[in-house]
Amino acid sequence: MKTLIPGVLFLGLISLAWGAKAEESAEPAIVTGDDLLEEVTVYGTSNSMRIIDYPGQVSVRGLEEVELFMPTTISELLRDVPGLEFSGGPRRTGETPSIRGLGRENVLILIDGARQSFISAHDGRFFLDPDLISTAEVVRGPSSALYGSGAVGGVMAFETLDAADLLKSNEGIGLRLRAGYQDVNEETNGSATAYMRQGRLDLIGSLSFRDSGDIELGSGDTLPSDDDLTSGLIKAEYALSDAWGIEASWLQFNNDAVEPNNGQGVTLSEDDVLSTLVDKRIESDNYRLTTKFRPIDSIWLDAALTLYRADTDVKESELDSPRSTTRRIETTGVSLRNVSRLGRNENHLLTLGGDWFEDEQTGEDSANVDGTRNGVPDGEGSFIGFFAQFESVFEKPLGLPGELLVIPGIRYDEYENESDILPGEEQDDDAVSPRLGLSYGPVPWFRAFANYAEAFRAPSINELYLDGTHFELPHPILGGSGVFISNEFVPNPLLTAEESETIELGIGLDFANILTEGDSLLLKTSYYESEVDDLIDLNVDFGFDSTCFIPPFLPCSAGTSNSANVDEAEFDGYELEASYDADRFFALLTFSTIDGEDKSDGSDLGILTPDRLNLDLRWRIPSARAALGTRMQYADNFRRQAFDDDGNSITVDQRDSYTVFDIYATWQPGFLPGIRLDVSVDNVSDEDYERVFAGVSEPGRNLKFAITWQGDF
């Protein structure tokens, strides 16, 4: 029922398009049709498919959204995707995603197909400048049948720019220069991108920078944050023949930040955080080599082999001491896929593939005699998996009208983790992940779909082999004399893999030529329910030893922390995404709910969010080569419940509802060839709101503008 309300609201907004309907103009529109549900998903099945036809929920955002919204973080680009949330506070160095209530290792992040395995307790997961993104795709729901471990919540896949994204013709050489500013953190940014496509060669090179300061929050406080970021991309693709091509890329990300050791921390008083401020240097390099082979006359071969390596290094040097700490994760991987196109009209696709990757983590702390870092165990994890998937389209199935899409798939994985923390305590296991998706369209404008999927997520090195000090605090009796006690991490090599079963049911609507020639209305909504066994969660057993209160008050500890399995958890929710697109008017509506429960005691579980509604309205002015728009996000009241030792219900997090409005505009003046001007004001009313956690205020009013010059030669 909840999904019907925003759906009806959205259908009512279509009436606004009547005012946008005008005489035809010879001038091209400032933006072509967005039709976000007409976009294709690549990562949903590993083959191109219209989102409206896919038996599940996928959202795609492209280059047009990057240019219009001028995002400085990944969350700004993807904030209206239903079921997707970003926690970790307002700093870009702390952003971590969750999908349908599942975060951390349960969300797989890919850049150009390469896995991004860096995960830290208090640092972010995104090492990619939004200016380099051509497409961002979010597959919501379990995807282990294709990707193995780490995709219980879903997949976030980013494709970087290539020359074809920027060229206005099939061949040529071009240059794009961009400069921008936003006042909420006094950020200046710019980029230079050169690209060419000549004959069989596609080549692009880009360099960008961002320099920002402290963040002004809606509460009126200032959040310490000082970033100096540079990023670069070199990508080349060459067709050796009509059937064989090769592509190589190097993506680099460097961020030098002065901020609290905990990038997700929200301590606001400069005096309080002075002793914990660090110079945080983030260096990330992604190397990739892909070769593709597809003989023109073969239905059996359409193969792609990818080799990649992702190195991420975060070094923190305290400003008031010589101490420095480092976390380094190196991922090496190989991926192979082949598609056979069978049937009279190639309407049966058989995809076979396999993956191998290895994560190696090292931690260093100059304050420890042996150089090891507490909470960052040195270790390795290796994974290998093989999968098969069939995509079949049947016309008039069993004599019924329309067409039926059937997607069965299955994957087998083996994994092994080991660490020097517990020699001889290696963990190895295997898993099978099946999936079945159905999508039926009795008429061209309606589809019903169902999806059943099982997924798994292996315990990570950090979860298995946690050791050292978690946190320190003053002694309850001797604290006044400077005595501190600690809560210690305890390894748990007995952790088992998370396993989930999810069923999703939904419908899609696809209408064309409703109010004007060439317009479209697309709507997709669904309900999902996931049963997760052995969900891995951090268990903090905080408590003082009895000896803390008996003379001589030592030894004394503040308990232990370890990763533990939650026997059974349940997540469910509704999602809706709808868009209307015409020459003069565009509207996007998204809505989502998420509930998570620990079945053992009924307490709330997972990274939960309030019911959320997002609306984007855009008016195009083709004669002026301009567009005006507004975005609104609304979140309902939120309360998170838990139970104490006596079984009493307690509120552990409570946040008020909020409504935030943005406005934006873009203009390509005809008297300045190649120039594009973009301006926006985010959080127009300077709303003080808490999006993720109580006490974590979001940025206040933010004026942004950018000027871009692009020319093809």
Side-chain angles (χ1 to χ4, degrees):
M1 187 67 183
K2 288 183 177 181
T3 56
L4 295 178
I5 297 174
V8 171
L9 171 64
F10 180 76
L11 293 173
L13 287 169
I14 298 175
S15 62
L16 294 174
W18 286 107
K21 186 176 180 181
E23 67 277 3
E24 294 296 326
S25 170
E27 293 291 331
I30 185 69
V31 285
T32 56
D34 288 79
D35 277 340
L36 294 179
L37 292 177
E38 282 283 5
E39 295 274 4
V40 297
T41 171
V42 175
Y43 289 90
T45 67
S46 82
N47 300 306
S48 297
M49 175 183 294
R50 286 200 325 157
I51 289 177
I52 198 71
D53 298 332
Y54 173 73
Q57 293 281 28
V58 180
S59 295
V60 174
R61 303 292 182 263
L63 187 58
E64 186 59 36
E65 284 74 35
V66 173
E67 293 178 329
L68 277 175
F69 304 139
M70 298 170 285
T72 61
T73 62
I74 300 299
S75 63
E76 291 179 22
L77 174 63
L78 299 176
R79 78 171 198 193
D80 59 4
V81 173
L84 172 65
E85 184 57 283
F86 295 86
S87 58
R91 295 187 187 90
R92 68 163 58 90
T93 57
E95 282 193 344
T96 59
S98 63
I99 299 178
R100 295 182 172 179
L102 295 167
R104 295 180 59 80
E105 287 91 342
N106 281 310
V107 176
L108 174 62
I109 297 177
L110 303 172
I111 298 180
D112 289 333
R115 300 178 73 106
Q116 307 298 299
S117 297
F118 183 92
I119 293 181
S120 165
H122 301 300
D123 292 315
R125 294 193 62 191
F126 298 108
F127 308 107
L128 172 65
D129 193 310
D131 271 0
L132 299 178
I133 295 173
S134 67
T135 303
E137 183 171 334
V138 182
V139 182
R140 304 192 295 281
S143 301
S144 288
L146 277 177
Y147 300 103
S149 177
V152 176
V155 178
M156 299 181 68
F158 301 93
E159 293 288 332
T160 56
L161 291 168
D162 56 32
D165 295 316
L166 300 178
L167 276 171
K168 296 180 175 64
S169 58
N170 290 331
E171 288 193 351
I173 300 174
L175 178 66
R176 185 183 74 169
L177 303 175
R178 182 183 179 279
Y181 175 81
Q182 69 172 25
D183 70 348
V184 76
N185 60 350
E186 298 183 346
E187 176 178 289
T188 56
N189 57 78
S191 63
T193 305
Y195 50 91
M196 66 170 289
R197 194 174 190 181
Q198 297 287 337
R200 296 179 180 271
L201 177 64
D202 186 300
L203 180 64
I204 188 170
S206 183
L207 180 65
S208 63
F209 75 91
R210 298 182 185 274
D211 188 359
S212 61
D214 296 344
I215 303 172
E216 298 295 330
L217 303 178
S219 62
D221 292 311
T222 299
L223 188 69
S225 180
D226 187 356
D227 283 0
D228 185 2
L229 184 155
T230 59
S231 188
L233 170 69
I234 298 176
K235 182 191 289 187
E237 182 176 2
Y238 186 73
L240 300 169
S241 67
D242 292 339
W244 186 18
I246 189 169
E247 180 179 309
S249 66
W250 172 42
L251 174 67
Q252 186 178 56
F253 179 97
N254 291 296
N255 191 0
D256 189 355
V258 176
E259 61 186 30
N261 170 273
N262 178 359
Q264 300 173 342
V266 294
T267 306
L268 301 176
S269 169
E270 186 173 342
D271 291 339
D272 290 341
V273 303
L274 183 60
S275 63
T276 60
L277 284 179
V278 299
D279 182 359
K280 182 179 295 183
R281 296 179 181 271
I282 302 172
E283 297 182 359
S284 179
D285 291 277
N286 278 267
Y287 308 93
R288 180 181 59 90
L289 178 65
T290 298
T291 182
K292 298 179 180 179
F293 184 64
R294 184 182 181 183
I296 297 176
D297 57 351
S298 174
I299 65 172
W300 296 102
L301 279 177
D302 182 359
L305 173 66
T306 297
L307 311 176
Y308 64 88
R309 183 176 176 89
D311 295 342
T312 304
D313 187 295
V314 178
K315 182 177 181 179
E316 301 171 357
S317 301
E318 295 184 1
L319 299 185
D320 61 347
S321 79
R323 182 189 180 191
S324 65
T325 59
T326 301
R327 180 193 297 264
R328 182 179 300 107
I329 295 181
E330 300 171 343
T331 301
T332 305
V334 181
S335 174
L336 175 63
R337 281 162 169 74
N338 181 71
V339 182
S340 299
R341 306 174 188 276
L342 311 175
R344 182 185 306 173
N345 299 314
E346 296 187 355
N347 55 351
H348 302 292
L349 304 182
L350 173 62
T351 305
L352 302 175
D355 302 272
W356 171 85
F357 68 94
E358 181 180 75
D359 294 329
E360 182 176 354
Q361 175 175 275
T362 55
E364 301 169 2
D365 187 342
S366 63
N368 288 337
V369 176
D370 60 0
T372 60
R373 180 178 176 182
N374 293 337
V376 184
D378 293 353
E380 295 181 359
S382 60
F383 299 76
I384 187 169
F386 304 94
F387 71 88
Q389 176 185 268
F390 207 61
E391 299 172 50
S392 291
V393 177
F394 300 95
E395 301 289 341
K396 297 183 178 180
L398 302 176
L400 298 173
E403 68 174 29
L404 173 67
L405 170 66
V406 182
I407 306 180
I410 192 168
R411 177 176 173 121
Y412 173 77
D413 284 274
E414 292 184 355
Y415 64 89
E416 180 178 354
N417 291 303
E418 60 181 344
S419 172
D420 294 337
I421 299 297
L422 294 176
E425 293 284 353
E426 297 85 0
Q427 186 199 63
D428 59 81
D429 206 345
D430 57 18
V432 176
S433 305
R435 179 253 180 117
L436 176 62
L438 304 172
S439 177
Y440 174 58
V443 291
W445 54 267
F446 176 83
R447 296 195 79 92
F449 65 89
N451 189 51
Y452 171 81
E454 297 181 15
F456 87 102
R457 200 265 288 178
S460 69
I461 298 168
N462 287 330
E463 293 165 331
L464 288 165
Y465 306 112
L466 276 174
D467 73 321
T469 300
H470 185 192
F471 58 84
E472 292 184 331
L473 70 166
H475 190 290
I477 303 296
L478 305 176
S481 58
V483 178
F484 284 79
I485 60 174
S486 61
N487 179 282
E488 297 291 320
F489 284 122
V490 177
N492 184 4
L494 300 180
L495 274 178
T496 59
E498 295 180 1
E499 297 180 349
S500 74
E501 296 183 15
T502 299
I503 187 167
E504 184 170 6
L505 303 172
I507 61 171
L509 303 177
D510 181 0
F511 296 104
N513 303 318
I514 306 168
L515 302 178
T516 184
E517 185 69 24
D519 70 353
S520 64
L521 169 67
L522 299 104
L523 181 149
K524 200 169 185 183
T525 184
S526 68
Y527 168 79
Y528 65 87
E529 185 173 285
S530 296
E531 300 285 346
V532 183
D533 293 333
D534 296 320
L535 180 73
I536 300 174
D537 198 14
L538 182 64
N539 177 37
V540 181
D541 183 13
F542 175 77
F544 297 113
D545 293 339
S546 59
T547 54
C548 297
F549 305 96
I550 302 174
F553 310 114
L554 292 172
C556 176
S557 78
T560 60
S561 298
N562 73 339
S563 296
N565 291 112
V566 176
D567 288 341
E568 186 177 357
E570 180 179 279
F571 296 87
D572 65 274
Y574 297 89
E575 293 176 355
L576 178 145
E577 186 166 16
S579 64
Y580 174 79
D581 193 15
D583 286 343
R584 305 296 183 98
F585 180 76
F586 170 77
L588 171 68
L589 176 78
T590 66
F591 174 77
S592 61
T593 71
I594 302 173
D595 288 310
E597 180 182 340
D598 184 338
K599 300 295 287 184
S600 66
D601 61 9
S603 60
D604 293 333
L605 189 67
I607 304 174
L608 305 183
T609 63
D611 296 351
R612 295 185 304 158
L613 178 73
N614 291 274
L615 181 63
D616 180 5
L617 301 176
R618 192 177 311 160
W619 289 265
R620 299 168 178 143
I621 312 171
S623 59
R625 297 177 59 81
L628 302 173
T630 181
R631 292 204 295 174
M632 181 272 288
Q633 53 177 325
Y634 167 78
D636 202 356
N637 295 315
F638 178 78
R639 178 176 300 195
R640 186 185 184 98
Q641 299 293 116
F643 293 90
D644 61 20
D645 294 337
D646 297 324
N648 300 314
S649 176
I650 57 175
T651 299
V652 294
D653 188 16
Q654 185 171 348
R655 306 192 296 275
D656 293 334
S657 64
Y658 63 83
T659 303
V660 179
F661 286 95
D662 307 337
I663 56 175
Y664 61 89
T666 184
W667 181 35
Q668 297 178 20
F671 58 88
L672 295 173
I675 294 293
R676 173 178 174 135
L677 303 173
D678 292 277
V679 63
S680 71
V681 181
D682 297 345
N683 193 4
V684 174
S685 62
D686 202 21
E687 178 86 357
D688 179 17
Y689 66 103
E690 299 164 334
R691 182 174 55 85
V692 181
F693 298 111
V696 183
S697 181
E698 293 297 314
R701 184 185 299 112
N702 184 21
L703 170 65
K704 297 194 290 189
F705 61 83
I707 179 171
T708 305
W709 176 83
Q710 182 175 336
D712 293 354
F713 309 101

